[in-house]
Amino acid sequence: MSALYTVAFQAMASPCQLLLPAASEEAAQALAAPAMAEVRRIEAKYSRYRSDSVVSAINGAAGGAPLPLDDETLALLAYADQLYTLSGGLFDITTGVLRRAWNFKQPRVPQPEELAPLLALTGWRKAEREGSSLRLPLAGMELDFGGFGKEYAADRAAALLLAQGVHCGYVNLGGDLRVLGPQPDGSPWRIAIQHPRQEDGAIAAIDVASGALATSGDYERYFELDGRRYCHILDPATGYPVTAWRSVSVLAPLTVAAGASATIAMLKGPQALDFLAQTGCAWLAQDAAGGLHSHAV
């Protein structure tokens, strides 16, 4: 007789958990082990905070010779290229350099002259891709996989659990949720969506039996100064934070799709609702004034 077990762990600077059915706590840990190992492998490989990661190798070679890359990294770069095109250049994995001017632990807004030399180092189209090699042509350019790395890890963890026959439960990596299947009785999971202005509150709860739910918002990393909120989601055209939306949540088949769609919508500003309508996904968004907008599939 199986029961549901929660296996909690820390990864990617986030609290994570796997919920899955098993005959015992030990059996749950054994089922969860490959999925947790995969999440940590992806973190080690692509974290910008680790000097031995692929991302650090790419960034360290900026301005120098092309760097040969493995198939997994090339596939992620191809996905980043798709997102850049889909978003009209708003989803750009070269904009991580802007964090040199922004520290969201300190309430300070950089001046345009501080941002200008950093903006000159951004632009995914500047990256030179040929065969299995990549070259960032300008010294100081950087790639940052933070826009989809956690979501990619959630999908990979889910794939390993599904391959072991786990078809009930979910993977939750810091709020990015990939549902493996419905509850044991066949009913969907009731998932609360974080209220962007109330730490312990929710703006809605939705039923999810399969697929992925991800949220992008202005409450994850931010500071407030002179009555204005400055969040970590930066417009690549200006280098300044987005302001049109408090949060966007998207329900999609894969976590990478849900997360990217939510982030692109935050970046789209007034055009966000038109963009979300084109995704064919269910979504819920709260605007800067607190108004709710949604679409159910």
Side-chain angles (χ1 to χ4, degrees):
M1 179 83 180
S2 292
L4 289 172
Y5 291 90
T6 299
V7 180
F9 64 106
Q10 281 283 135
M12 300 185 170
S14 303
C16 304
Q17 59 179 200
L18 308 175
L19 182 73
L20 62 160
S24 66
E25 179 75 39
E26 293 75 17
Q29 291 283 350
L31 277 173
M36 290 191 294
E38 178 70 349
V39 172
R40 290 186 171 122
R41 179 192 72 81
I42 292 167
E43 179 178 19
K45 185 172 182 178
Y46 295 114
S47 172
R48 68 173 187 262
Y49 300 108
R50 291 181 57 125
S51 61
D52 59 346
S53 73
V54 169
V55 167
S56 291
I58 293 170
N59 296 344
L67 195 69
L69 300 172
D70 66 287
D71 288 346
E72 181 181 35
T73 304
L74 292 170
L76 288 173
L77 291 175
Y79 184 61
D81 184 71
Q82 291 177 356
L83 295 178
Y84 181 88
T85 302
L86 176 69
S87 66
L90 291 172
F91 195 108
D92 188 335
I93 63 172
T94 69
T95 56
V97 294
L98 296 172
R99 70 178 178 277
R100 296 178 193 168
W102 291 95
N103 179 354
F104 292 97
K105 295 178 181 177
Q106 297 178 351
R108 178 185 172 277
V109 179
Q111 297 301 306
E113 56 267 25
E114 290 178 72
L115 291 169
L118 299 176
L119 287 168
L121 294 174
T122 68
W124 170 241
R125 285 288 173 258
K126 293 174 183 170
E128 299 167 4
R129 293 187 297 154
E130 186 171 347
S132 61
S133 294
L134 174 77
R135 178 176 181 266
L136 300 180
L138 303 177
M141 283 188 77
E142 291 183 8
L143 297 189
D144 183 351
F145 285 16
F148 55 74
K150 188 148 56 78
E151 294 86 347
Y152 172 62
D155 287 330
R156 288 292 307 135
L160 289 175
L161 290 168
L162 290 166
Q164 295 181 86
V166 180
H167 295 286
C168 168
Y170 55 75
V171 175
N172 183 352
L173 302 188
D176 290 325
L177 200 75
R178 173 68 189 276
V179 176
L180 304 167
Q183 298 189 51
D185 64 2
S187 61
W189 302 96
R190 189 80 170 154
I191 308 296
I193 294 177
Q194 171 73 42
H195 195 298
R197 294 297 181 269
Q198 298 172 15
E199 189 172 340
D200 297 323
I203 53 174
I206 63 171
D207 291 335
V208 185
S210 65
L213 178 68
T215 299
S216 185
D218 70 357
Y219 58 90
E220 295 159 318
R221 293 198 303 279
Y222 70 93
F223 64 79
E224 292 183 342
L225 185 65
D226 299 330
R228 288 191 59 187
R229 177 174 293 225
Y230 296 85
C231 77
H232 76 288
I233 303 171
L234 304 175
D235 184 333
T238 66
Y240 286 98
V242 298
T243 58
W245 302 94
R246 292 180 177 180
S247 74
V248 179
S249 300
V250 176
L251 184 64
L254 295 174
T255 324
V256 284
S261 296
T263 299
I264 291 171
M266 288 288 294
L267 290 162
K268 281 280 186 180
Q271 286 77 48
L273 299 184
D274 289 339
F275 167 76
L276 289 167
Q278 294 167 11
T279 66
C281 296
W283 50 266
L284 172 70
Q286 186 177 65
D287 61 34
L292 289 179
H293 310 257
S294 64
H295 172 70
V297 176

